[in-house]
Amino acid sequence: MNKYKNIKRRKSNRIYVGDVPIGNGAPISVQSMTNTQTTNIEETIKQIIKLKKVGVDIVRISIPTLEAAESFKIIKANVEVPLIADIHFDYRLAIKSIKYGADCLRINPGNIGNKRRISEIVDCAKDKNIPIRIGVNAGSLENDILKKYKSPIPEALVESAIRHIEYLDALNFNQFKVSIKTSDVFSGVKANKILAKKITQPIHIGITESGALRNGIVKSSIGIASMLLAGIGDTLRISLAADPVEEVKVGYDILKTLGIRFRGVNFIACPTCSRQEFDVINVVNQLEKNLEDLSTPMDVSIIGCIVNGIGEAKVSTLGIVGGSKKSALYKDGIRQKNKLKNEEIVKELEIQIRKKAKFLDKLKKNNI
Ligand code: SF4
């Protein structure tokens, strides 16, 4: 382990969403949320299967109506990923979702209305042994708190979270995690830092409404990395106005970059210039797409020429160093006799990567 990547994580309680552990040293789980109509059962199931293929650990589904709750029942029976039912205001939807097999509820107790209804939900959750996520969002802060603080500043967000937590505390329920999300990186990070000192529950992190793909990735990476580097975060979701599959990929890329959790190939590719001997950008893009399903971690360097190629290939699991017409292949830092024809790099390297993955999986399975 690179000593510079040694992040000291905040200690927290452990909860389980289905069979996924959260908190107390568990791997940081990657979540996403479906953006189909929940009542469109077929499309929702298809999307969850796609998310599973790229490694999602947990999927959240919004349940805005009773009809959606009925659809949730069928969806739940047809997917293997733990599901969180996202509920606002209507306690009946929460109760139905729990009965239909939700692995966790995302709910803000204070929004449910009277205490009897909150207590009914909590009794149901206790009965089925499922946790709750309290999710405070800067865009939907309670009016009285907003009035007190004038705007959704970090202290206001934390006060809202503590208020919701107190509802659960009063009912002796401690199987919950908390999130505070803002679209502004600075206030989101600060709010989570304050919250982390006040509670012992796991924290779900993310930057909400972060924007379309490029902008959203930049904001999320800066915000989430700032929290992770401070040891905060037990599960995360990247919120993008884009295909949720991208959210999962970006989530893993952030964890990979920080040396926290590894999944799939970590491509090291040069930015290219007129020295490149093959079309690096095209090769990397194609391989990234073709290998989406691969979960075995490994570093693969794809570099257009010898300037930086040899150095990178020597420290990668597999490496390509661009050459005229044919490029050199490195395995575990060692240059192989047979070169790859430049027009066959995608095909040949994919074969090599899959072969290596099989080998590494076998070693892992046998604890070698
Ligand atoms: Fe250009 Fe070679 Fe550097 Fe790639 S490694 S950017 S091809 S000089």
Side-chain angles (χ1 to χ4, degrees):
M1 165 66 76
N2 180 336
K3 67 179 178 172
Y4 301 109
K5 287 184 185 167
N6 209 354
I7 298 166
K8 196 163 177 267
R9 285 178 64 190
R10 162 188 168 266
K11 286 205 170 81
S12 76
N13 303 344
R14 163 76 55 89
I15 61 166
Y16 285 86
V17 174
D19 58 356
V20 177
I22 296 176
N24 191 24
I28 295 173
S29 44
V30 177
Q31 307 197 17
S32 185
M33 188 167 182
T34 52
N35 63 2
T36 51
Q37 287 294 318
T38 305
T39 45
N40 187 340
I41 296 168
E42 200 185 325
E43 283 303 309
T44 306
I45 291 174
K46 260 196 214 158
Q47 193 169 64
I48 294 170
I49 291 169
K50 273 193 204 158
L51 292 168
K52 172 85 180 154
K53 194 177 161 201
V54 291
V56 78
D57 294 304
I58 298 165
V59 173
R60 182 156 52 109
I61 302 187
S62 50
I63 313 289
T65 59
L66 280 171
E67 203 191 346
E70 294 302 327
S71 305
F72 178 79
K73 183 183 182 183
I74 303 168
I75 295 163
K76 174 66 192 161
N78 284 284
V79 297
E80 284 169 12
V81 190
L83 298 182
I84 301 179
D86 187 279
I87 315 278
H88 287 278
F89 312 120
D90 190 339
Y91 84 111
R92 293 169 306 166
L93 300 176
I95 306 271
K96 271 230 171 292
S97 304
I98 298 175
K99 287 192 175 150
Y100 289 162
D103 297 286
C104 177
L105 279 190
R106 189 267 169 143
I107 205 163
N108 285 341
N111 301 346
I112 292 298
N114 69 47
K115 290 193 174 146
R116 187 185 53 78
R117 288 176 176 177
I118 301 169
S119 151
E120 225 176 290
I121 295 173
V122 168
D123 282 347
C124 244
K126 278 183 185 168
D127 193 42
K128 296 277 183 189
N129 196 22
I130 66 158
I132 287 176
R133 163 154 80 100
I134 292 170
V136 171
N137 195 310
S140 52
L141 206 55
E142 296 94 317
N143 280 336
D144 64 316
I145 296 182
L146 209 47
K147 213 169 159 192
K148 177 176 164 189
Y149 290 94
K150 310 276 188 289
S151 66
I153 60 170
E155 290 74 9
L157 297 162
V158 174
E159 186 169 322
S160 170
I162 299 295
R163 182 183 285 180
H164 294 300
I165 290 169
E166 281 168 357
Y167 279 106
L168 298 183
D169 279 346
L171 295 165
N172 284 324
F173 187 77
N174 63 4
Q175 292 297 296
F176 63 90
K177 56 190 169 120
V178 184
S179 69
I180 295 183
K181 294 190 185 178
T182 63
S183 55
D184 171 70
V185 165
F186 287 96
S187 58
V189 172
K190 185 164 180 207
N192 276 282
K193 283 186 175 170
I194 301 172
L195 180 75
K197 288 198 180 128
K198 287 185 183 279
I199 64 169
T200 56
Q201 276 73 27
I203 295 182
H204 164 125
I205 56 172
I207 298 296
T208 194
E209 293 121 21
S210 64
L213 198 61
R214 191 191 68 236
N215 200 22
I217 291 173
V218 172
K219 274 193 215 165
S220 295
S221 304
I222 294 171
I224 288 175
S226 302
M227 294 185 247
L228 290 171
L229 287 168
I232 299 167
D234 301 288
T235 179
L236 60 83
R237 182 204 171 187
I238 312 297
S239 305
L240 300 174
D243 184 340
V245 161
E246 297 301 323
E247 298 186 348
V248 179
K249 290 190 201 165
V250 174
Y252 277 105
D253 285 345
I254 293 174
L255 293 173
K256 239 187 251 177
T257 305
L258 296 178
I260 294 174
R261 189 175 170 196
F262 302 93
R263 182 190 189 277
V265 179
N266 176 34
F267 284 106
I268 297 133
C270 72
T272 77
C273 72
S274 68
R275 285 195 195 91
Q276 70 173 341
E277 303 280 8
F278 63 92
D279 186 350
V280 172
I281 295 174
N282 181 41
V283 167
V284 179
N285 282 337
Q286 281 202 50
L287 282 168
E288 248 189 32
K289 197 166 180 290
N290 295 358
L291 293 161
E292 261 178 15
D293 60 301
L294 207 74
S295 59
T296 318
M298 73 175 85
D299 291 336
V300 175
S301 62
I302 299 173
I303 311 288
C305 79
I306 54 165
V307 172
N308 294 318
I310 298 171
E312 292 292 354
K314 280 189 171 168
V315 292
S316 300
T317 315
L318 290 166
I320 293 286
V321 183
S324 162
K325 296 207 173 96
K326 284 184 173 183
S327 294
L329 169 69
Y330 282 66
K331 291 185 187 174
D332 296 312
I334 298 164
R335 188 188 165 119
Q336 305 298 294
K337 247 197 202 154
N338 293 333
K339 290 187 169 185
L340 304 184
K341 282 187 189 156
N342 286 352
E343 62 276 16
E344 289 178 0
I345 289 177
V346 173
K347 193 179 91 193
E348 291 300 325
L349 195 54
E350 183 177 341
I351 293 170
Q352 294 295 337
I353 292 171
R354 290 196 182 276
K355 203 168 143 194
K356 188 72 181 176
K358 253 192 196 161
F359 175 73
L360 292 172
D361 290 348
K362 207 170 158 191
L363 287 188
K364 200 177 163 200
K365 206 172 150 202
N366 296 326
N367 267 332
I368 299 172

